[in-house]
Amino acid sequence: MTNAAEFMMLAQTPIWIGFVVFLRVAATTALLPGFGEQSVPLRIKIAVAIAFTLIVAFAIPASPPPFSLEVLVTLVLTETVSGVLLGLGVRLLILALQTAGSIAAQSTSLSQILGGAAIDPVPAIGYVLTVGAVALAVTAGLHVKAGMLIIHSYVLLPIGLFSPGNDVVEWGTAQIAHAFELAFVLAAPFVLISTLYNLTLGVINKAMPQLMVAFVGAPIITLGALFLLFLSAPPMLENWLSFLDHFMANPLGHKP
């Protein structure tokens, strides 16, 4: 009986550490691009969270406090909140890309094409950019960067401690501002082309009022937007990936 009791005590320690790590890992991976998409089945998400837990649990710099009911409640709250904050920081970059696609689509009259192809109602340009960004991130080693991010988060957000409210508000405001700034920067070429297009149509309409410039210009702006997307998508995704890498390396920092 003594040996059995000692064995159970030894087994409880890695199980307890794994459970505590799983709380933060599951909250983070549920919001990661690729791993946390709504199209991914729940069983796959749980399997991904367990796989990350097995990796992170052996690399955290500090062990959780001994098990007790009070400690359990505290850790469920603190670790889940910490994981959600990390996941939201990454998810904001996906939302920035979707916002850039929406701005570009609204500027170039392409907002209705393929609008319902994705689970989230995004225009065609935003859908193409989002799918390309997720594929690029996964190909560039998103799983490795995510694992390093979670391990590093235990230094920035220690186990069992709530982040100060003022710091969370300041960090969240900065991340949202950077996401909107990134969206406008990525969509800037489409906005400029749209502005020049509308100014040109206005001049032509003023010179020849009898000409139906809208029917003449609609195919031009559509073809021009698609050609501009073909040219600008690679640098847009490259810049987006640099923002993602910077956040993964320094989640509490600012834009690169």
Side-chain angles (χ1 to χ4, degrees):
M1 294 295 295
T2 303
N3 294 333
E6 292 178 354
F7 176 78
M8 291 299 297
M9 291 297 295
L10 292 175
Q12 287 177 1
T13 301
I15 293 175
W16 171 240
I17 295 176
F19 173 75
V20 174
V21 172
F22 179 81
L23 294 173
R24 182 177 300 199
V25 167
T28 303
T29 55
L31 296 171
L32 286 179
F35 302 110
E37 304 298 333
Q38 296 184 26
S39 58
V40 178
L42 180 59
R43 293 180 180 178
I44 302 299
K45 293 181 180 179
I46 295 176
V48 169
I50 293 175
F52 273 106
T53 300
L54 294 176
I55 297 172
V56 174
F58 295 97
I60 59 175
S63 299
F67 174 81
S68 67
L69 183 59
E70 181 180 356
V71 171
L72 174 62
V73 174
T74 301
L75 291 180
V76 168
L77 295 176
T78 57
E79 296 307 293
T80 303
V81 170
S82 298
V84 168
L85 289 177
L86 294 175
L88 284 178
V90 181
R91 179 55 58 176
L92 280 175
L93 296 178
I94 293 292
L95 295 178
L97 206 57
Q98 293 178 352
T99 303
S102 298
I103 295 173
Q106 292 289 345
S107 302
T108 55
S109 303
L110 293 176
S111 58
Q112 300 302 322
I113 302 178
L114 294 178
I119 295 178
D120 297 327
V122 295
I125 296 179
Y127 179 67
V128 171
L129 291 177
T130 302
V131 173
V134 171
L136 179 62
V138 174
T139 305
L142 177 62
H143 57 293
V144 178
K145 299 172 185 176
M148 296 176 63
L149 170 66
I150 297 173
I151 294 173
H152 184 54
S153 70
Y154 284 94
V155 178
L156 304 175
L157 304 171
I159 297 177
L161 296 179
F162 281 107
S163 300
N166 293 335
D167 294 343
V168 173
V169 171
E170 182 179 354
W171 175 83
T173 303
Q175 295 302 319
I176 293 174
H178 296 159
F180 274 103
E181 181 181 352
L182 175 61
F184 283 112
V185 169
L186 295 179
F190 296 90
V191 176
L192 293 176
I193 289 297
S194 176
T195 302
L196 294 176
Y197 162 77
N198 288 300
L199 288 176
T200 303
L201 283 188
V203 172
I204 295 175
N205 190 35
K206 192 71 174 179
M208 295 183 295
Q210 68 278 9
L211 180 64
M212 301 296 292
V213 293
F215 291 100
V216 177
I220 297 177
I221 187 62
T222 301
L223 180 61
L226 294 176
F227 183 71
L228 182 60
L229 177 63
F230 172 76
L231 295 178
S232 60
M236 290 173 67
L237 294 178
E238 182 180 356
N239 290 332
W240 178 86
L241 184 62
S242 67
F243 271 80
L244 177 65
D245 291 342
H246 182 270
F247 179 83
M248 290 291 191
N250 187 17
L252 298 186
H254 298 287
K255 62 182 180 179

